[in-house]
Amino acid sequence: MRPGSPSAYWDGLDIRLGFAPQMMNGQPCLHALDLKKTLEPLLKGLSLSCLKTNPTIVIDPGHGGQDSGAKSVLGSRYEKEFTLDWARRLGSLLATNGWQVLLTRTSDLDLSLTNRIAFAEAHKADAFLSLHFNSSAPNDQQAGLETYCLTPTGMPSTITRGYNDDPALAFPNNAFDAQNLRFALQVHRALLQVNGRLDRGVRRARYLGVLRGQNRPAILIEGGYLSNPREARRIADPAYRQKLAEAVAKALE
Ligand SMILES: [Zn+2]
């Protein structure tokens, strides 16, 4: 990390601090919340500690039904189709590895964020993983992987997207700040190995409604940009989506 920048690198991974480190009296200083909520979880190790054998994971394919999500720059194909296929592929791999796997939707269905949370709650899920693809249209240059977890209380978010980001807010999912970050890094690291190391960082946000109310470690992956022709072409390839699924499954072994 360096003074004046919220960007930091951990073992080759791009992570975002809540506060830029400052020089004070000639000493580099890190905010106490970054020490507690970023550095400590990292130093304690990267593994998502599972509470029991055969843990239950809820995989959430983003969007569905009327809500198509992002449109591919290559034509009339949408995020909702690709997230569902990625989720299905990942689900069967995780089931083979001993996870109890549930998908919030298994067809082209409209599902509210509240219902996605209620589903995980009803099935007492041990982990929650929401799958998305990104868009920066009409900009077709932006590309790469972003992995999100909920911002710890007291910290500003990496990204707010117009949401009134009040650092004082505390959500149920904040009970899992440390596990969220470890979960995010574990999956992010594995996915970078298949996406050509296009790293847009592990980020923290409060505006992602599907994460806030979760009573379990929860992350959201933006697996690439459908607005970038090169990435859109890869995402449209079933063999590439299989690689994305294999990477996440390996990260959760
Ligand atoms: Zn999405």
Side-chain angles (χ1 to χ4, degrees):
M1 57 191 83
R2 41 180 213 269
S5 169
S7 280
Y9 293 87
W10 172 264
D11 199 10
L13 292 186
D14 179 350
I15 57 169
R16 306 300 167 94
L17 300 168
F19 303 88
Q22 305 289 327
M23 291 300 285
M24 289 175 174
N25 302 322
Q27 300 276 353
C29 292
L30 186 66
H31 196 285
L33 269 174
D34 275 316
L35 195 60
K36 185 157 182 279
K37 296 293 186 176
T38 308
L39 241 59
E40 260 185 36
L42 294 176
L43 290 170
K44 281 181 183 161
L46 275 171
S47 75
L48 171 71
S49 37
C50 290
L51 310 167
K52 54 182 192 188
T53 50
N54 303 116
T56 300
I57 187 164
V58 165
I59 306 173
D60 175 44
H63 311 277
Q66 296 285 344
D67 170 18
S68 302
K71 184 174 190 265
S72 169
V73 69
L74 301 178
S76 297
R77 295 187 74 183
Y78 291 90
E79 183 183 355
K80 65 175 183 176
E81 169 202 346
F82 299 128
T83 58
L84 178 57
D85 182 75
W86 184 10
R88 283 208 180 109
R89 290 171 188 275
L90 174 59
S92 54
L93 292 170
L94 289 178
T96 312
N97 294 349
W99 290 81
Q100 307 286 331
V101 179
L102 294 157
L103 271 60
T104 52
R105 65 179 181 93
T106 53
S107 62
D108 185 18
L109 193 78
D110 224 322
L111 200 60
S112 71
L113 298 183
T114 322
N115 281 340
R116 292 171 201 254
I117 294 172
F119 181 87
E121 196 64 30
H123 291 95
K124 299 185 167 56
D126 299 300
F128 182 90
L129 178 60
S130 192
L131 301 180
H132 288 253
F133 291 100
N134 224 329
S135 174
S136 60
N139 171 346
D140 66 359
Q141 294 303 303
Q142 205 146 291
L145 174 72
E146 297 167 8
T147 304
Y148 287 90
C149 50
L150 179 64
T151 315
T153 302
M155 254 189 204
S157 292
T158 314
I159 182 166
T160 56
R161 291 232 171 113
Y163 178 78
N164 179 21
D165 191 58
D166 180 359
L169 292 175
F171 295 103
N173 188 244
N174 281 124
F176 303 91
D177 284 340
Q179 287 109 308
N180 290 340
L181 183 65
R182 280 184 249 160
F183 187 7
L185 280 165
Q186 211 168 311
V187 170
H188 193 80
R189 176 184 300 282
L191 282 167
L192 285 179
Q193 292 181 358
V194 302
N195 90 335
R197 297 211 63 83
L198 290 168
D199 188 359
R200 291 183 46 84
V202 170
R203 297 155 168 238
R204 280 155 160 164
R206 281 190 182 86
Y207 69 87
L208 295 163
V210 80
L211 299 183
R212 294 195 294 250
Q214 297 283 353
N215 286 303
R216 57 199 55 78
I219 61 168
L220 184 147
I221 309 172
E222 294 278 5
Y225 279 78
L226 287 167
S227 48
N228 176 282
R230 192 157 167 268
E231 273 203 314
R233 206 167 299 123
R234 297 176 94 179
I235 293 162
D237 178 2
Y240 183 69
R241 296 197 297 273
Q242 181 66 23
K243 280 189 188 168
L244 294 179
E246 283 166 7
V248 180
K250 190 154 186 288
L252 298 180
E253 250 171 29

